[in-house]
Amino acid sequence: DVVRGGLVTNSQFLLSCRSGKLTPSQVAKNIIAMLEDCDKSTPPLRAIVQWDQEQIMLMAEASTTRYRNKCTLSCLDGIPVCLKEEFKVVPYHHRVGTVYLGTQPETEDATVAKKLREAGAIIIGVSNMHELGTGTTGCNPNRYHKIPRNPYNPNHFTGGSSSGSAAAVAAGLCPVAIGTDGGGSVRIPASFCGVVGLKGTFGRISCHGCLPLSYSTVSVGPICTSVADAAIVYSILAEPDLLYPYGLKQPKATLSDMCAPDLKDLKLGVDWTFFKACDAEVLSACEKAVKHLQSLGASVVEVSLPEMEEARVAHVICILSEMRDFLQPDFNKHFHEMNLETRASLALASQFTALDYIKANRQRTRTMRFLQEIFTTVNCILTPAIPCTAPRIHESDLLTGSSDMSFTVRSMRFMQLGNFTGIPGLVVPIGYSTAGLPISLQVMAKWWDEAVLLRIGLKLEQFRDQTRKPSIYYDILA
């Protein structure tokens, strides 16, 4: 059950297509059969919640023709991808994890969906998500979605809110998925499901066509089987979009020095007090991963991350206040159609005042200044991704959902800094607990410096020399 590189990557897929051993059409037929199997399994995987056989085959056949004529569009041509239901994707329903949104099929793509189509990717469907992105478990008991299962152990949660995206990649249905991250919503499920998750700098990848739940904290990012795949997707999606004003003045995205042979010129910042607030198994794996980076020439510099508790509270005030403001009409009109957890979160948000929001944003300015100083001395900041492994699903969760505020707070511990200040973060799987659940390390860098994250991420992959194949796994190249 242990194989080197157990999950299919873009490069393996491309080699199969270019050699003529497989065509995108053949792979698409495999995926369709597997999507049907996912729905019938016990329990159902519930990673992809909307898909259309005709749409998948149309894209696959067009890609097959391009391979035959040697005129592929990009490194993603023919690659199966899925997008979180938070994005508009033609011709699917833009439900955003609810039962009341997206009553009609979409007629216009979000920018990221459009870019993926232009790159020749095969969109296999839209993926499950926590209702309106309001939690970190991925638990969504409503009739359209149900509970996505963690491929490493179907009795455990995937994490959220980009739950189905991470489950689809970990289960082998596609090597690439797209999610959104306002409080760890790409990085938490990627970590719990043992795959790579990248949250870009705020504004780096366009959010146009994505429900604007929290305008100041949410970033788009890929969830992939490998760091190299994340780099490819990032390089295609990361650029200004006239329809998304927050990223218009960004510097050009590069992958400079990503494949450097060592890390000798890099300084890795660690606040050990902050770093060590996690379960013993997580801490042990993460400390060993840091030593591995040191063995490649990087120096570890002890740093202090000031006012982290204040930043944590301020992030919660910002994201919930913005979500409550945007969702006020929904809260009034569709209250009884929302999951219990969503109702509770939005009710809590209503207790915040305008003064709370102003003070939270003053804290944001302070925290960003602290980071500016820290990044003059180090290239990145290392933390565990999450203090624990994926939690167990209880029977009651299947009916009424899950609302565990202490878990929500804990799961976001190392995530919130990136969302609150807009800096990019990458999570890379580094090992497993004794129960066989994935453990990941997080790397964060200064604004717009995703390239250094990807460079370090490639080296982190060498630390985990074996990838355990999940208990739920589909080989789309078989």
Side-chain angles (χ1 to χ4, degrees):
D1 66 332
V2 178
V3 292
R4 181 181 287 272
L7 307 181
V8 171
T9 63
N10 282 355
S11 57
Q12 290 168 304
F13 183 96
L14 290 170
L15 283 171
S16 296
C17 290
R18 285 170 181 165
S19 66
K21 291 179 182 176
L22 272 178
T23 67
S25 295
Q26 289 170 311
V27 174
K29 288 174 184 175
N30 289 347
I31 292 170
I32 290 164
M34 291 162 183
L35 288 171
E36 290 172 343
D37 184 73
C38 285
D39 287 342
K40 295 172 186 172
S41 62
T42 306
L45 180 62
R46 298 308 294 161
I48 307 295
V49 290
Q50 297 182 61
W51 57 278
D52 183 281
Q53 178 173 338
E54 185 180 352
Q55 289 288 320
I56 295 169
M57 289 309 303
L58 278 172
M59 286 180 276
E61 286 161 5
S63 179
T64 298
T65 300
R66 290 192 294 271
Y67 272 97
R68 190 181 300 124
N69 295 333
K70 295 183 171 52
C71 60
T72 51
L73 298 173
S74 78
C75 291
L76 288 185
D77 204 324
I79 299 294
V81 304
C82 68
L83 293 95
K84 185 180 185 179
E85 202 181 54
E86 198 168 332
F87 295 97
K88 292 181 178 181
V89 183
V90 179
Y92 303 108
H93 295 265
H94 189 215
R95 293 191 177 116
V96 199
T98 72
V99 296
Y100 66 85
L101 288 173
T103 55
Q104 298 297 319
E106 277 306 312
T107 57
E108 185 179 349
D109 278 330
T111 295
V112 289
K114 184 169 176 279
K115 281 182 169 292
L116 290 168
R117 286 191 204 274
E118 289 170 350
I122 300 170
I123 298 174
I124 66 168
V126 294
S127 47
N128 207 343
M129 65 176 286
H130 207 108
E131 186 179 67
L132 295 168
T134 54
T136 61
T137 58
C139 184
N140 187 349
N142 78 44
R143 67 180 182 272
Y144 288 135
H145 298 87
K146 301 300 180 187
I147 315 298
R149 302 296 178 137
N150 191 318
Y152 276 92
N153 186 326
N155 295 317
H156 287 249
F157 283 119
T158 56
S161 62
S162 306
S163 47
S165 295
V169 172
L173 293 172
C174 51
V176 172
I178 308 298
T180 60
D181 192 313
S185 289
V186 160
R187 292 163 293 156
I188 291 171
S191 302
F192 279 159
C193 293
V195 290
V196 173
L198 172 65
K199 182 200 88 71
T201 303
F202 177 77
R204 179 61 106 177
I205 298 174
S206 174
C207 282
H208 175 72
C210 176
L211 200 72
L213 294 166
S214 169
Y215 76 90
S216 76
T217 68
V218 173
S219 296
V220 175
I223 296 173
C224 302
T225 51
S226 71
V227 173
D229 288 355
I232 290 167
V233 179
Y234 164 76
S235 67
I236 287 172
L237 298 182
E239 66 177 2
D241 174 13
L242 292 175
L243 299 173
Y244 183 64
Y246 299 118
L248 286 179
K249 295 186 182 295
Q250 63 177 277
K252 187 172 176 59
T254 71
L255 300 177
S256 59
D257 297 325
M258 181 177 157
C259 297
D262 55 47
L263 303 175
K264 285 180 181 175
D265 57 328
L266 296 184
K267 294 179 180 178
L268 317 178
V270 180
D271 180 331
W272 286 110
T273 302
F274 186 59
F275 190 102
K276 290 181 179 180
C278 56
D279 290 353
E281 281 189 303
V282 173
L283 177 60
S284 175
C286 289
E287 285 179 328
K288 289 174 185 172
V290 173
K291 288 179 181 174
H292 167 73
L293 297 177
Q294 281 183 288
S295 74
L296 293 169
S299 56
V300 173
V301 178
E302 190 157 355
V303 297
S304 173
L305 295 171
E307 300 180 8
M308 288 305 296
E309 184 63 16
E310 290 85 347
R312 182 186 69 78
V313 173
H315 167 262
V316 170
I317 292 170
C318 285
I319 189 171
L320 285 182
S321 295
E322 291 169 7
M323 291 179 79
R324 175 59 196 249
D325 174 58
F326 179 74
L327 294 170
Q328 185 66 42
D330 300 55
F331 191 69
N332 293 338
K333 188 177 179 182
H334 299 285
F335 179 83
H336 293 290
E337 296 172 271
M338 291 176 171
N339 290 334
L340 295 173
E341 182 189 16
T342 306
R343 297 184 210 174
S345 297
L346 293 177
L348 169 65
S350 70
Q351 302 304 304
F352 298 135
T353 66
L355 186 58
D356 292 330
Y357 187 72
I358 290 166
K359 288 182 175 178
N361 277 287
R362 286 177 180 164
Q363 180 63 48
R364 194 198 306 252
T365 302
R366 285 178 62 84
T367 304
M368 290 174 78
R369 283 177 181 164
F370 292 143
L371 286 178
Q372 283 175 327
E373 291 179 23
I374 289 169
F375 286 127
T376 62
T377 60
V378 298
N379 299 96
C380 66
I381 297 169
L382 304 179
T383 71
I386 314 179
C388 57
T389 52
R392 178 171 284 276
I393 298 170
H394 299 287
E395 282 297 314
S396 61
D397 300 333
L398 305 177
L399 300 173
T400 58
S402 172
S403 184
D404 184 342
M405 193 56 70
S406 63
F407 168 76
T408 302
V409 169
R410 193 163 189 241
S411 64
M412 293 196 301
R413 174 179 174 80
F414 300 117
M415 301 281 117
Q416 291 172 283
L417 183 63
N419 297 111
F420 190 46
T421 64
I423 60 173
L426 177 75
V427 295
V428 180
I430 56 167
Y432 305 90
S433 68
T434 51
L437 292 166
I439 295 170
S440 295
L441 188 78
Q442 176 175 232
V443 192
M444 293 181 284
K446 68 179 181 292
W447 300 270
W448 315 114
D449 197 8
E450 287 87 350
V452 77
L453 299 183
L454 296 163
R455 176 182 171 188
I456 294 167
L458 282 177
K459 296 297 186 278
L460 271 178
E461 283 183 319
Q462 297 172 2
F463 170 71
R464 185 192 62 161
D465 63 345
Q466 290 183 322
T467 302
R468 294 185 188 177
K469 191 172 286 186
S471 59
I472 301 175
Y473 185 72
Y474 297 92
D475 185 354
I476 60 174
L477 301 186

